[in-house]
Each structure stands twice: as structure tokens, then as C-alpha cells.
Amino acid sequence: MPNKKRRKWKPWRLLLFTLLLALLCTLGYYVFSIYSFAGNISGNDNRIGDATFNPKYNNEEYRPPAWEGTERVNVLLLGADARGDDSGEPLRSDTLMIASIDPVTKKAHLMSILRDTWVKIPGNEEGRINSAFTIGGPNLAMKTASDLTGIPIQYYLYTDFKGFISLVDAIGGIDLEVEKDMKYKDSADGHVFDIDLKKGMQHLDGKTALQYVRFRHDAASDFARTERQRKFLTAVAEKMQSTQSIVKLPSILKKMQPYITTNLSLSDMLKLGSLGLDAKAQGITGVQIPPEELVVERRIGGAQVIGVDKTRLKRYIQDVFDGTQNGSPGSSESGTGSGTSPSSPSTGSGSGNSSRSER
């Protein structure tokens, strides 16, 4: 029998096979990275790391509503002071924001809740809204924010100083216009968290970005700080949508993983990720809660706090969603950066005791 000749692969076929193999390996790596990330940060037991909260806040009454995928989705972003873990103090929610996206219109809103807003905390007495997290963890924080705003909050995402720094460094930093010189010495932590920024266009890495979003040592205090936070997170969202960040996604997720906790499942993350890509970062509307025109300065137990008419606030938020009340892309609707806002009340957790100025 004549010997059969082996079929030689033509160069273009070999190249095509190599490209397909590389593509499959890359997709596999991306899928593995996302599964690993989701598995390590997801949880529904109302825990943050080693911190546990009263089990009653994990029962049906305090669990967040489900998201079916067709209605507006709202995520409570909790930025905590990492010093709570290191010093033996309870965890504190240094920042409370609600990211809201309408899956029909693809419009996104980023709402900052002033942390000294005085509210009724479900199952407890009245207190500053940031104390809800300290008392009952993410479940109670979500319910308290939902009761204040009148919108269902299905998810939360928690991180701390270290997580914020890791995220910003992982995406290569952010170029941002710093609107003023910012300087503050924080001796309580051995000057680790001192703030020293110069006015002008700056490339902010993780540590300098943390300085930017924490600064509140001026006349506008927390009003201006929350506006800067919205401005910065909008810039982060825009960069995360860039091709470069998408290519680096596995590396970004790996660096962020140790510092994030959420109740988002893998399928929730995939749905939200797809929705987030459709909602362009440049179109994010920033909103301050409560807006300046609804702020009522009050004094409780000798401490200054922020009061608000909940009925008027809920109507205001719905008007913002409907487009009949103007917010402004990437910032607050109330012009908080001008220094004309009322001075921010002293900070604290729950009862009216003041806390460190730059928490």
C-alpha cells in the first residue's frame, strides 16, 4: 500500500488555530477571574469581615428586596473608615452613596447621603444615618437609607480605605482637576492620613485620591466633600469603561478582592456589569441627599445635625428620576463647591458625640 502523505497545515490555518486557542484561554481566564472574585466577596449573612451584627438584622424584615432585572436597581455604596478594625472601635460608614440605574432608559444617578442626616433608624431610636451601619451592618443601613429616600435598595457594596486605594491604583490612577489647595494634619493616626494637595490638574494615585475624597476642612465641609466624591467616582466609572481597563479586568478584580464585601451574586454582577456598560459614565447625574433647599439645621443633645422633611425629599428624588428636577452630571445640583452651602454639622455616630474631623 502506498504511504499516505500527512496533510500539512497551511500557515493561515495554523495562525487561525493559534488565535482561537489564545482567545479561548483568555476567555477562560476572564471567566475564572470573575467567578473567583464573585465567590470571595459575596455574602448574604450581614457580615463584614470578622465584624458581626445583631442576628435580628438578618431576618426577613431587614433583608433587601430582590431585583428582577426590569425595574430600577439601587446599590448602597458604603465607604468605611478602616481605622475601626485596627483600633478596636466599631466599623463606621464614612461615606453613604446610592448608585441607581434605570435598565429601560439606561440613565444613572449617583446620590450622596449627608452622613449627619437625622433619621429614625428601624428598630432603634433616632440617630445620624451613618450610625445605622454601626448598629446593624449593611442590612440595617440599606433599610434606613430606603426609608429615608422612598426607593427600594436591593444591594450594597462595602469597602474601606485600603480597598479604595487598591481600586484607584489598579486602574492606573485618575487625572483630575483639584479645585483648591487642600491641607489637613491628622495626628490621631500618626499622620498616616494627612492631606496635602495642590490646586490644579493632578494625577491622583490611590493615596492622593483618598486625600481628595476625604477633605472636608473648609466652609462647605461635608457638602463640598460629597460633591468631590461624586465627581471622583464618576471619573472612576468613566475609566473603568475604557478598553484599557476592560483588558486589565482580571488584575483589577484580584487587587480589589480582599477589600470588598457585597450581597451581589455572580449572576447579579453580570447583569449589573452589562447594564453599567450601557449607562455611559459621562451621563451620570449627581444628587445630594438632602438637597440644600431641603436641609434643616437642628441641634440634638448639643450637637448640630441635619433634619429633612421625608415626604418632600421622596418627592424630590422621584422628580430627579423623572427628569423634572435638575441634577447635574457628575456633581450636585445645589452648587456645593461654591462655599455658599450651610456649614456642615459636626460628625459622629448615632448619638451626637463628635468624631475625628476627616473620618
Side-chain angles (χ1 to χ4, degrees), residues 112 114 223 226 230 286-292 316 332-334 336:
S112 303
L114 297 174
F223 294 85
T226 56
R230 293 193 298 276
V287 184
Q288 175 185 291
I289 301 296
E292 184 179 343
Y316 168 84
S332 167
E333 72 292 330
S334 57
T336 56

Side-chain angles (χ1 to χ4, degrees), residues 40 43-44 80 104 113 125 127 130 160 187 260 265 280 321 347 353 358:
N40 282 284
N44 289 300
V104 177
I113 303 177
E125 298 178 350
N130 69 336
D160 56 20
S187 59
I260 291 180
S265 66
K280 297 301 179 185
F321 287 160
T347 60
N353 297 327
E358 299 300 325

Side-chain angles (χ1 to χ4, degrees), residues 24-269:
L24 287 173
C25 290
T26 301
L27 287 175
Y29 179 53
Y30 269 68
V31 171
F32 172 78
S33 298
I34 293 171
Y35 266 85
S36 176
F37 178 75
N40 282 284
I41 70 172
S42 296
N44 289 300
D45 54 358
N46 202 39
R47 292 173 61 97
I48 299 291
D50 294 330
T52 56
F53 303 94
N54 191 318
K56 79 174 185 178
Y57 298 117
N58 202 29
N59 64 31
E60 195 64 34
E61 180 184 357
Y62 293 95
R63 286 179 188 166
W67 180 49
E68 302 302 330
T70 56
E71 72 278 24
R72 177 178 291 277
V73 59
N74 303 295
V75 183
L76 182 65
L77 308 178
L78 294 163
D81 188 336
R83 293 174 294 193
D85 287 333
D86 299 335
S87 64
E89 296 178 3
L91 292 176
R92 305 172 188 272
S93 52
D94 187 62
T95 298
L96 296 95
M97 306 178 82
I98 300 173
S100 181
I101 306 178
D102 186 331
V104 177
T105 65
K106 305 297 190 294
K107 289 184 178 179
H109 293 79
L110 188 60
M111 297 179 279
S112 303
I113 303 177
L114 297 174
R115 62 186 183 177
D116 289 324
T117 304
W118 195 257
V119 297
K120 173 67 173 71
I121 299 174
N124 296 269
E125 298 178 350
E126 293 183 337
R128 288 183 172 90
I129 193 166
N130 69 336
S131 66
F133 175 74
T134 304
I135 295 169
N139 281 1
L140 185 59
M142 283 188 287
K143 183 165 179 57
T144 305
S146 179
D147 287 354
L148 173 67
T149 59
I151 59 175
I153 298 177
Q154 299 95 342
Y155 304 112
Y156 77 89
L157 191 149
Y158 164 94
T159 191
D160 56 20
F161 285 3
K162 294 177 182 177
F164 180 85
I165 291 171
S166 295
L167 167 62
V168 177
D169 285 342
I171 63 175
I174 294 290
D175 293 322
L176 199 73
E177 183 76 28
V178 176
E179 59 272 17
K180 62 194 293 183
D181 288 348
M182 300 178 184
K183 198 171 184 67
Y184 181 81
K185 291 190 178 296
D186 191 350
S187 59
D189 293 279
H191 298 286
V192 173
F193 296 108
D194 283 358
I195 296 173
D196 189 6
L197 296 174
K198 297 298 181 184
K199 178 180 178 180
M201 180 59 69
Q202 305 283 348
H203 179 77
L204 303 178
D205 63 8
K207 290 184 178 179
T208 50
L210 183 64
Q211 294 178 31
Y212 179 77
V213 299
R214 289 183 61 233
F215 183 75
R216 64 193 297 269
H217 202 65
D218 55 14
S221 195
D222 209 32
F223 294 85
R225 185 182 77 140
T226 56
E227 182 174 10
R228 281 191 290 272
Q229 290 172 349
R230 293 193 298 276
K231 173 184 173 182
F232 186 83
L233 287 185
T234 299
V236 169
E238 187 172 345
K239 188 159 186 179
M240 287 291 289
Q241 290 179 339
S242 69
T243 303
Q244 182 182 12
S245 292
I246 293 173
V247 169
K248 293 168 58 179
L249 185 61
S251 173
I252 293 172
L253 295 180
K254 185 176 181 180
K255 290 175 181 177
M256 291 168 53
Q257 180 179 300
Y259 309 108
I260 291 180
T261 307
T262 183
N263 62 338
L264 284 159
S265 66
L266 175 61
S267 60
D268 294 331
M269 289 183 199

